[in-house]
Amino acid sequence: TMNKTIVVGIDLAKNSFQVHRAYTTGKVVGRRKLNRTELSLFLANLPKTTIYMEACGSANFWGRKAMMFGHDVKLIAPQYVKPFVKTNKNDAADAEAICEAGCRENMRFVPVKSIEQQDLQTILRIRDRHVENRTALYNQVRAILFENGIVAVKSMSKLRQELQKSIIDEDNSLSGMMREELQILSEELTAFDAKVNEYDTKISQASKSDDRCVRLMTIPGVGPVTSASMVAAVGNAHTFKNSRQLSAWLGLVPKQHSTGGTQRLLGLSKRGNTHLRTLLIHGGRAVIMNTGKKTDPRSRWVAALAEKVGMNKAAVAMANKNARTIWALLTYGTEYDPKYRRNQSSPPAIKSPSVVAPIH
């Protein structure tokens, strides 16, 4: 007998949405093409069911809207949907592929982000843009000074000082026009610094007001930006079955290429969120640089590892350890304990039927 459960797959777009309804066995119930208004009415009148969508632009918005009407929404990473597209690509084929991929028993899903997560992520993305623009401007200023015979150091603070000295120094070879342009660039740098500081303050305030961020910031190497980025991207850590899955999602575990019973581990997989991985590695590098005469177990471990394999590999190992610690703190709601030992009694691993799939 046919399973009578009907699921829905929706191919999202700006104004045109393709809806595919089918039984979990794959038998098609119906196909419809809707606009934005019609899709809202369709979700409101649809009996409670499971809805599958691709994790793409506006997926979180439509996912939250569908959840308001009592539906169970599951987002699928696009790379896991593509193998199910038959023949040529079109909206109807994409919706059918989304529906078929969602019905797979071992499919991995992406959780729908809350409004708070998206707000925090927006602030972080805007800050990243200002930082990138500021870095590009600093490099341009350094190149202009070098072309005029002035060698500036890489430090941003010292570059500002060198720039001001070059503008007022009458003994160098700078022309009047060049001094005017450098003064304009100096003012632009000041404006970028002010913007970055403004968003640093916003992120710091948001981190202090969130209990999860406060607990994460007690981990060595995790500051306001890293904690806010983790909360905005991960949210509910119960989505990951264990800490290694979070570390693998961040691309901090070796890539595997095994066959015929022969295990072969390569370098880092570098999958998932590149920005988060970079923040954790920089945090790990900061921990190594400040170990000094610290005697806690973590500092002794990373200092010995850095001496054995080098700074960079030790920084990645520290990032991996911090990622696992972050999973534990978010999952169990506990505080960071620098004296924690693995043989201590701990809560059982969270068992979940789905894990977050990395989005490239």
Side-chain angles (χ1 to χ4, degrees):
T1 58
M2 180 181 294
N3 189 339
K4 297 300 182 181
T5 303
I6 297 178
V7 295
V8 178
I10 303 178
D11 181 51
L12 301 176
K14 293 181 180 178
N15 299 305
S16 177
F17 305 87
Q18 186 70 38
V19 177
H20 182 90
R21 301 179 66 203
Y23 292 104
T24 53
T25 55
K27 182 176 177 60
V28 178
V29 176
R31 300 183 179 92
R32 295 181 63 183
K33 186 176 182 180
L34 307 174
N35 57 33
R36 297 184 69 88
T37 304
E38 292 171 341
L39 180 59
S40 297
L41 294 174
F42 172 79
L43 294 175
N45 297 323
L46 181 69
K48 293 182 180 180
T49 185
T50 301
I51 298 178
Y52 301 107
M53 305 178 190
E54 271 190 344
C56 58
S58 75
N60 290 300
F61 168 79
W62 287 109
R64 290 194 299 268
K65 182 177 283 290
M67 291 168 66
M68 288 172 55
F69 299 118
H71 302 298
D72 182 20
V73 179
K74 296 183 178 181
L75 306 182
I76 310 173
Q79 64 264 32
Y80 294 146
V81 175
K82 188 175 181 180
F84 295 93
V85 178
K86 302 179 181 67
T87 64
N88 297 318
K89 181 188 182 308
N90 53 60
D91 292 345
D94 288 344
E96 182 180 0
I98 293 170
C99 198
E100 185 174 347
C103 293
R104 294 286 174 167
E105 190 173 342
N106 61 344
M107 181 53 61
R108 300 178 178 182
F109 302 105
V110 181
V112 178
K113 284 185 172 59
S114 64
I115 295 178
E116 292 76 16
Q117 283 181 275
Q118 281 200 293
D119 291 346
L120 187 56
Q121 198 170 58
T122 299
I123 296 175
L124 291 164
R125 292 294 180 268
I126 295 175
R127 177 190 178 275
D128 290 343
R129 177 173 60 82
H130 287 306
V131 171
E132 291 176 2
N133 292 338
R134 183 180 65 174
T135 302
L137 186 56
Y138 269 103
N139 290 334
Q140 186 178 43
V141 170
R142 187 179 291 109
I144 292 174
L145 292 176
F146 182 70
E147 289 296 333
N148 286 273
I150 302 173
V151 179
V153 296
K154 291 184 178 180
S155 171
M156 288 188 175
S157 59
K158 293 183 178 180
L159 178 60
R160 297 190 199 100
Q161 299 174 4
E162 189 68 33
L163 179 59
Q164 291 300 322
K165 290 180 181 179
S166 301
I167 293 174
I168 62 177
D169 186 8
E170 298 181 356
D171 296 333
N172 54 35
S173 59
L174 295 178
S175 63
M177 179 182 293
M178 181 60 65
R179 295 179 195 276
E180 292 179 3
E181 295 301 322
L182 289 177
Q183 182 60 42
I184 294 174
L185 293 177
S186 177
E187 294 173 358
E188 288 186 27
L189 286 175
T190 302
F192 275 126
D193 289 337
K195 277 293 183 182
V196 173
N197 292 334
E198 177 185 348
Y199 279 94
D200 282 341
T201 303
K202 291 182 179 180
I203 294 171
S204 179
Q205 292 174 350
S207 299
K208 291 178 181 178
S209 62
D210 192 309
D211 175 67
R212 294 169 298 178
C213 293
V214 172
R215 287 188 284 107
L216 293 186
M217 285 190 289
T218 59
I219 303 173
V222 178
V225 176
T226 304
S227 62
S229 299
M230 289 297 299
V231 170
V234 176
N236 185 4
H238 290 82
T239 313
F240 298 93
K241 184 178 179 181
N242 51 45
S243 60
R244 192 185 185 282
Q245 287 190 350
L246 174 59
S247 185
W249 178 69
L250 293 170
L252 290 170
V253 299
K255 184 187 298 183
Q256 186 173 176
H257 187 78
S258 304
T259 182
T262 302
Q263 300 294 325
R264 184 186 179 194
L265 299 180
L266 308 176
L268 288 182
S269 65
K270 295 184 180 180
R271 294 177 179 174
N273 195 317
T274 304
H275 179 67
L276 274 178
R277 183 172 62 251
T278 302
L279 289 175
L280 288 172
I281 292 176
H282 284 336
R285 188 172 288 110
V287 171
I288 298 172
M289 294 174 63
N290 291 278
T291 51
K293 297 182 179 180
K294 293 182 179 180
T295 58
D296 60 285
R298 180 175 291 224
S299 296
R300 293 201 309 269
W301 167 78
V302 75
L305 186 63
E307 185 176 354
K308 180 180 179 180
V309 301
M311 168 74 81
N312 291 334
K313 291 183 179 180
V316 174
M318 190 74 239
N320 186 14
K321 183 179 286 290
N322 281 347
R324 294 176 177 237
T325 305
I326 287 171
W327 177 87
L329 266 59
L330 291 177
T331 302
Y332 302 123
T334 55
E335 301 287 340
Y336 171 69
D337 181 10
K339 298 181 180 180
Y340 175 79
R341 293 290 185 276
R342 184 176 297 179
N343 57 1
Q344 290 179 344
S345 59
S346 59
I350 299 297
K351 293 184 178 181
S352 174
S354 61
V355 296
V356 174
I359 303 177
H360 299 286

